[in-house]
Amino acid sequence: TLAETKAKGLLKAVPSLPQLGLGMAFTFLAEVDEQEEGWGKVDEDEEDDDDDSLHRTGEAKVDFFVRKLGFDATKQVLQALIQQFGTSSRWQDRLGACMAIRASVEYVTDAVSIDGMATLLLALVKDGHMRVRHAALFALGQMCHDLDAEFPTRWHSRMIPVMVQACGDPADRVAAKAISSLEAAIGELD
């Protein structure tokens, strides 16, 4: 596609592309079915859940636009959308913000942006909705994997207590994700 081969030219021709592309991707990210019953139980096929959903498409498009257009070109829009969705009253929006962080964090180039994302995720680990807690833990684990060892070293004193507490979450699936995220955080420490 044009975005893959001529991103800079496309940005010049359509300066609103980050807003349009990421805006639509975030809308897709918030398209999550309620399906509460049984969701909190650990599912061995978890990775296959909702593979064709708009939510998964939104996650892939956040990754695509931030990767292809670059963090510098998408930073302002990305941060505004993460803040807007992350503080929304709708749990689907908060989940979408977590997954947008997960999809984009490997391309984030400045510590201030990373710190803002981590701060939001730590707050969302304590969210009232189990799917938001799960997504926040998933994104924190991804941050520990994708960013250099400096991130978990700087953040371990804030992350690890929250993750340990989340290991006792009443939803088994959230507790399992907390253990996985804790392993990612500790595994990156020297």
Side-chain angles (χ1 to χ4, degrees):
T1 68
L2 201 54
E4 292 178 311
T5 58
K6 307 273 187 208
K8 288 183 184 186
L10 189 56
L11 266 175
K12 192 178 245 185
V14 186
S16 62
L17 184 60
Q19 179 66 45
L20 296 171
L22 288 173
M24 186 54 64
F26 270 74
T27 299
F28 287 174
L29 275 169
E31 288 295 322
V32 184
D33 292 334
E34 189 70 32
Q35 69 184 57
E36 289 303 311
E37 192 167 322
W39 186 92
K41 295 181 178 139
V42 175
D43 182 1
E44 291 181 22
D45 296 327
E46 178 181 340
E47 296 300 319
D48 296 331
D49 288 352
D50 301 322
D51 275 338
D52 296 335
S53 71
L54 284 176
H55 174 78
R56 297 277 182 186
T57 301
E59 189 176 350
K61 294 309 167 193
V62 168
D63 179 280
F64 174 82
F65 283 113
V66 176
R67 178 173 37 93
K68 290 298 180 182
L69 301 178
F71 181 66
D72 289 340
T74 58
K75 175 181 177 177
Q76 188 175 10
V77 172
L78 179 67
Q79 288 178 330
L81 287 167
I82 287 171
Q83 185 64 33
Q84 175 189 337
F85 278 64
T87 58
S88 170
S89 62
R90 293 183 67 240
W91 70 265
Q92 295 93 334
D93 292 345
R94 296 189 308 274
L95 182 144
C98 294
M99 298 313 282
I101 292 170
R102 179 179 174 266
S104 63
V105 73
E106 69 183 293
Y107 312 112
V108 178
T109 55
D110 69 87
V112 173
S113 297
I114 290 167
D115 290 350
M117 290 174 171
T119 299
L120 178 62
L121 291 173
L122 285 176
L124 292 175
V125 167
K126 299 172 184 174
D127 193 86
H129 199 283
M130 67 182 158
R131 293 186 67 182
V132 174
R133 295 192 306 272
H134 180 271
L137 288 160
F138 198 5
L140 282 169
Q142 192 72 44
M143 289 180 86
C144 292
H145 283 298
D146 287 352
L147 300 173
D148 60 31
E150 184 262 342
F151 170 73
T153 301
R154 277 190 316 112
W155 276 84
H156 78 275
S157 65
R158 290 172 271 187
M159 278 192 314
I160 291 178
V162 172
M163 290 175 174
V164 167
Q165 184 177 11
C167 289
D169 196 278
D172 292 345
R173 197 165 175 180
V174 175
K177 188 54 72 181
I179 292 167
S180 174
S181 297
L182 184 59
E183 180 182 9
I186 292 171
E188 297 299 325
L189 295 175
D190 290 330

